[in-house]
Amino acid sequence: MGILSQPAIPPLPESLSFAGKTAIVTGANIGLGLAAALHLAQRNISTLILAVRNPKTGQTTKDALLADPIVQKHATKPTILVFPLDLSLPSSVEAFASKVIAEVPKLHIVILNAGMGDLNWKVNPETQTEAHFQVNFLSNAVLTVRLLPLLKTSAQSAGEASHLTIVGSRMIAMSSFLKNPIPDTVPVFTFFNDRAQFRSMTRYGDSKVLVTMWIRQLGKHVDPSTVVVNDVCPGMVRTNLEAGQPWIIRAVMSVVKGIRGRTAEVGARTLINAAIAGPETHGEMLGDYEIYPYNFLKTNEGKKMETKVWEESLAAFESSSPGSVQAAGLRD
């Protein structure tokens, strides 16, 4: 495959149906999230929860999905709910998870798509954690822990595995950790929240390394017969991921994406595929439809870092939400 193109992504199976299922899509009002939500709505999803920062735009998205010509042809229209979620704010993440647990009786599919890519050092105003660390990794990990019990009980009722997938990135192949691993004596959380360690050009990929490590560890602690967990890179897609970056980078990326970028509809096929994939993808990262090999994870440095990510994350969650880790079945 040439540098100016990407592999073709096959269409989703025509027979694919999500009838009787409930799904959550984060970042569902734009780009990949919107396209994934449309795929679900067009394939008979029974209940679709749009997790968005702005409920007003979420309502507009809901109206657009219900007005889609394919959705309009369905005898039974999906129930579409709009729940507020801002991944940059831990309080919003907790409120969202609590709302889902309180109001949603069953949950079969979670697609954690929302993320950010910026070149500037930013922190969230509540806990002062670095923005990429918070948005791309920590908030998604929190949602995983909080929603796992509901995914598990729903799988038992349905008689088939639920699915949770997080959007990852092949940018992990350009991670700073390949040349400069985090020292053994430095906690991962400390490293990411130290401004002196911030490298603008690699921070996005570095944050996605945490996602892949988290998924790998989840795969060792969650039974794939109840919940299949994975992360997926959708390739280069024509979205606004670079919206917060300098104009020159936006201009260059606009040209590059115009040449080789996938449409959001095509890119979102990889998200849906990950959300229906079998146990062979459990604990793995997918590049498009295939398992993506990331050799850093096989090194001693990678293995040690992965263990630290897992232990530090669970300790943080046990502190911020007592009982949540045990409820998720991640601690004995």
Side-chain angles (χ1 to χ4, degrees):
M1 188 60 58
I3 192 172
L4 297 181
S5 60
Q6 299 182 85
I9 301 297
L12 296 169
E14 291 189 10
S15 60
L16 181 60
S17 173
F18 295 101
K21 296 184 182 296
T22 297
I24 291 174
V25 180
T26 67
N29 64 308
I30 194 170
L32 280 169
L34 173 58
L38 182 58
H39 278 305
L40 292 167
Q42 290 177 337
R43 290 163 178 80
N44 300 104
I45 192 75
S46 292
T47 302
L48 177 60
I49 299 170
L50 309 178
V52 296
R53 283 184 296 177
N54 186 331
K56 184 176 180 180
T57 62
Q59 183 61 47
T60 300
T61 300
K62 171 183 175 178
D63 295 342
L65 291 172
L66 291 173
D68 176 76
I70 295 177
V71 176
Q72 280 286 303
K73 292 179 182 179
H74 295 165
T76 302
K77 306 297 187 294
T79 296
I80 300 180
L81 307 173
V82 178
F83 285 11
L85 173 64
D86 186 338
L87 293 181
S88 71
L89 300 176
S91 61
S92 177
V93 174
E94 178 58 31
F96 173 83
S98 296
K99 184 176 178 65
V100 171
I101 293 167
E103 300 180 15
V104 179
K106 294 182 179 180
L107 180 62
H108 307 95
I109 297 169
V110 176
I111 299 176
L112 300 177
N113 155 78
M116 65 168 289
D118 206 324
L119 296 181
N120 299 313
W121 170 266
K122 296 179 181 178
V123 297
N124 85 70
E126 295 182 349
T127 58
Q128 301 300 304
T129 50
E130 193 273 327
H132 290 84
F133 175 79
Q134 182 70 54
V135 172
N136 292 346
F137 167 64
L138 192 58
S139 290
N140 285 319
V142 170
L143 289 175
T144 300
V145 172
R146 296 285 276 121
L147 299 179
L148 263 176
L150 182 56
L151 286 165
K152 290 179 178 181
T153 57
S154 300
Q156 293 169 356
S157 299
E160 61 179 359
S162 299
H163 286 77
L164 181 142
T165 188
I166 306 178
V167 173
S169 175
R170 292 181 182 88
M171 290 294 289
I172 62 176
M174 301 175 64
S175 164
S176 67
F177 306 132
L178 298 174
K179 293 183 178 179
N180 300 292
I182 299 175
D184 292 346
T185 56
V186 177
V188 174
F189 278 38
T190 299
F191 178 91
F192 269 86
N193 293 293
D194 180 356
R195 185 166 188 170
Q197 303 297 340
F198 182 78
R199 303 292 181 268
S200 60
M201 297 305 294
T202 59
R203 179 49 61 110
Y204 176 79
D206 287 350
S207 69
K208 292 297 186 178
V209 170
L210 301 185
V211 169
T212 295
M213 289 180 168
W214 173 251
I215 286 293
R216 280 172 57 87
Q217 284 292 313
L218 274 177
K220 298 175 182 178
H221 294 84
V222 176
D223 185 346
S225 68
T226 57
V227 185
V228 174
V229 298
N230 54 43
D231 62 318
V232 58
C233 175
M236 181 177 285
V237 183
R238 297 171 203 152
T239 65
N240 68 341
L241 182 64
E242 299 84 17
Q245 298 184 6
W247 72 267
I248 186 63
I249 292 179
R250 297 199 306 271
V252 170
M253 290 306 300
S254 177
V255 172
V256 173
K257 287 186 174 183
I259 295 172
R260 72 185 303 268
R262 292 169 175 154
T263 64
E265 183 277 322
V266 172
R269 295 176 193 172
T270 67
L271 276 59
I272 300 300
N273 176 74
I276 61 173
E280 70 279 0
T281 70
H282 188 61
E284 301 283 358
M285 174 180 162
L286 301 177
D288 300 341
Y289 285 8
E290 305 295 331
I291 293 175
Y292 179 78
Y294 181 43
N295 292 330
F296 175 66
L297 300 176
K298 300 177 183 179
T299 66
N300 288 333
E301 292 83 0
K303 292 176 181 178
K304 287 187 288 186
M305 180 177 169
E306 183 179 311
T307 298
K308 288 165 64 176
V309 168
W310 179 253
E311 293 298 334
E312 290 178 38
S313 298
L314 295 192
F317 304 154
E318 288 170 340
S319 174
S320 63
S321 183
S324 61
V325 171
Q326 187 172 8
L330 302 179
R331 287 272 200 223
D332 296 331

